[in-house]
Amino acid sequence: QAISCKGQHSISYTLSRNQTVVVEYTHDKDTDMFQVGRSTESPIDFVVTDTISGSQNNDETQITQSTISRFACRIVCDRSPPYTARIFAAGFDSSKNIFLGEKAAKWKNPDGHMDGLTTNGVLVMHPKGGFTEESKPGVWREISVCGDVYTLRETRSAQQRGKLVENETNVLQDGSLIDLCGATLLWRTADGLFHTPTQKHIEALRQEINAARPQCPVGLNTLAFPSINRKDVVEEKQPWAYLSCGHVHGYHNWGHRSDTEANERECPMCRTIGPYVPLWLGCEAGFYVDAGPPTHAFTPCGHVCSEKSAKYWSQIPLPHGTHAFHAACPFCATQLSGEHNCVKLIFQGPVD
């Protein structure tokens, strides 16, 4: 009856072909529930698609099989201050049900309530020190259907659950990362965003760096970061950088080291060999941990942001595939590489 009732939320745990445990949920006037997932059906409030590294989300990049669940997770927020938000794995479908099939990891807790994990799991990482200049990466955990915290499974969809972490909760903090196996979400609180640099501030930083008239040390032409809304077309005055050393130039076509490695170029200033790429100002303000000037570039994509923001994201291991982790540029999701995943830029001021 609970399953067929359209007004009743329920979770079904299938234990075997002839045994299913159904847990009924009641309405709660003190909280609001928001659901995240790949489905475009009405119960999903935030439709999430797979993140394609390098942000080349054009029509040619057809995703054959998404690993993001159609009803990936739900976030329950208190209606009264401090508006605590809690995350739970799995979301209710259009008939207000969650089904955990025979193969899903599920169990009965000592207090008698049922719990389980979704196929690819919902992982959460709370940074140490919130989302500030002092932040450090936390530890990735898996969240169960009932919101308990577990250590990671051996692989993403292993049948055996991790160990219960009793001193941690499913409460989201400013800067918490939520991984849905195909996309990673950054949770920002209203208070946290209040202290984050705004789009206007990033635009002011762009104008400030351009007003200093940085020059190409070889061509002696003035360089300028393009405006934020021109972020796909490489412009004539665009700054380029050698990512092994950080020397900033205008575009030039010399310095190729070999025909095979198209992007191995020799810097004319210090003769260091490495990738040579156009620089782009990272324009999503929510990713900045401070309001510092844009002095560092991620390698190998060339997105530029403040030193502390670059160093923070360079240390964050983001889940990749079923059991790998690697740091990625927050602006385009490109996997980071190089000695420190980012480089300090060396601009030359005007000769006059």
Side-chain angles (χ1 to χ4, degrees), residues 108-217:
K108 185 181 272 194
N109 281 311
D111 64 0
H113 83 257
M114 292 295 297
D115 203 351
L117 304 172
T118 53
T119 306
N120 289 324
V122 173
L123 309 188
V124 171
M125 189 202 79
H126 307 300
K128 293 172 191 159
F131 197 71
T132 65
E133 298 178 22
E134 312 305 320
S135 297
K136 292 279 181 287
V139 181
W140 283 98
R141 302 293 195 206
E142 180 160 11
I143 303 296
S144 73
V145 172
C146 292
D148 284 340
V149 180
Y150 286 84
T151 59
L152 300 190
R153 291 179 262 183
E154 271 192 30
T155 60
R156 200 72 196 231
S157 55
Q159 295 286 302
Q160 191 62 39
R161 70 180 189 268
K163 290 190 177 72
L164 179 67
V165 185
E166 293 189 26
N167 60 344
E168 294 181 23
T169 73
N170 63 338
V171 173
L172 293 170
Q173 307 160 12
D174 191 34
S176 291
L177 289 168
I178 302 164
D179 188 80
L180 304 177
C181 195
T184 308
L185 314 179
L186 171 65
W187 177 266
R188 296 301 313 269
T189 61
D191 185 53
L193 286 173
F194 182 73
H195 295 99
T196 291
T198 59
Q199 290 281 306
K200 271 188 181 166
H201 179 77
I202 294 173
E203 175 58 21
L205 290 174
R206 183 186 78 85
Q207 290 180 12
E208 198 176 315
I209 206 166
N210 288 350
R213 292 174 53 226
Q215 288 198 336
C216 174

Side-chain angles (χ1 to χ4, degrees), residues 123 154 156 317-326:
L123 309 188
E154 271 192 30
R156 200 72 196 231
L318 294 175
H320 180 71
T322 56
H323 50 264
F325 289 82
H326 60 60

